[in-house]
Amino acid sequence: MELVLQGYDLFSHFDGSSVSPPKFAIVDEEGATSELTATYKDWIRTDKALLSLLIASLSDEALEYVIGSQTAREAWLHLCDRYASVSRARINHMKTELQTAQKGGDSIKRFLLRLKHIRDQLRAAAVLISDDDFVIAALNGLPPEYAIIKTVLIARDSPIILKYFRAQLLAAEQTAETRIIHHSGLYAANSSPSAPPSSVASG
């Protein structure tokens, strides 16, 4: 996200280089008035939007550290303070954890949230994980029943939007669950003991 914001010249709200302009208009004869300046209102509107964007991108754990923040800069500083002491060994551990994470018995939703949490921690430590790397990490952690969707997504020529990626995995999860239920039903039907043939007594 930092690179995107820098590209649009908006990261200045986070690093402090963009400061709030004067809040009230100043008239020479009267001094400050109660009328808000247009530049202040525009700045506040942009800052609140960026603060909302930052909050929406955080995991539940990271969210705890920005609750109550009034500006994008304040929230960013809280995150920096929280994760500034992350050691190089810890960063390497989180990278390995991201690359080797397995879905296991988790749902797709929970698995992706787990990966997102690791990514958030790395981002707070100034280590950026691209969307492509996130997608690859998620695909590598899927069990064999997701082989088809893995092949399809890996073979894509263009990058995949994370929202679309999540939707594809959720659909694949539903298909896998339906297949398991179907196979379980067939197994139960085939393993049921057959009723013994009835014998007819001869008179």
Side-chain angles (χ1 to χ4, degrees):
M1 185 178 72
E2 181 175 342
L3 293 177
V4 174
L5 293 173
Q6 288 176 345
Y8 285 96
D9 197 25
L10 292 173
F11 192 69
S12 55
H13 279 257
F14 293 99
D15 65 16
S17 56
S18 175
V19 296
S20 171
K23 184 174 183 179
F24 298 110
I26 298 177
V27 181
D28 291 340
E29 296 80 7
E30 303 175 5
T33 69
S34 59
E35 181 181 353
L36 296 177
T37 63
T39 53
Y40 174 79
K41 289 190 286 188
D42 288 342
W43 189 92
I44 287 294
R45 188 181 302 112
T46 299
D47 195 73
K48 292 298 184 185
L50 292 173
L51 176 59
S52 297
L53 177 63
L54 175 64
I55 290 175
S57 69
L58 297 177
S59 64
D60 290 341
E61 180 178 336
L63 188 61
E64 297 177 6
Y65 303 105
V66 301
I67 291 177
S69 299
Q70 297 300 310
T71 64
R73 171 65 173 166
E74 183 181 355
W76 188 259
L77 288 176
H78 285 319
L79 290 174
C80 289
D81 289 343
R82 171 63 182 85
Y83 295 107
S85 60
V86 177
S87 66
R88 175 54 53 183
R90 174 59 179 161
I91 289 175
N92 290 336
H93 174 75
M94 288 189 291
K95 284 183 176 180
T96 302
E97 190 177 4
L98 180 68
Q99 295 165 358
T100 60
Q102 297 294 306
K103 175 182 176 296
D106 286 344
S107 65
I108 286 294
K109 182 178 180 180
R110 186 173 181 82
F111 176 52
L112 292 180
L113 283 175
R114 186 150 50 91
L115 295 182
K116 183 179 183 297
H117 173 60
I118 300 173
R119 188 188 189 187
D120 286 344
Q121 288 183 307
L122 286 168
R123 177 167 48 197
V127 178
L128 301 181
I129 302 297
S130 69
D131 287 351
D132 284 345
D133 288 340
F134 181 86
V135 167
I136 291 173
L139 292 177
N140 286 338
L142 295 177
E145 53 264 33
Y146 291 84
I148 295 178
I149 190 65
K150 286 173 65 175
T151 301
V152 171
L153 293 177
I154 290 176
R156 285 175 58 96
D157 292 330
S158 58
I160 185 171
I161 299 173
L162 289 184
K163 182 178 180 180
Y164 176 75
F165 174 67
R166 181 176 183 272
Q168 290 291 301
L169 291 191
L170 289 174
E173 179 180 45
Q174 187 172 8
T175 300
E177 290 175 350
T178 301
R179 188 182 301 115
I180 291 174
I181 293 174
H182 176 69
H183 288 169
S184 298
L186 290 177
Y187 176 79
N190 292 333
S191 60
S192 298
S194 301
S198 58
S199 58
V200 179
S202 56

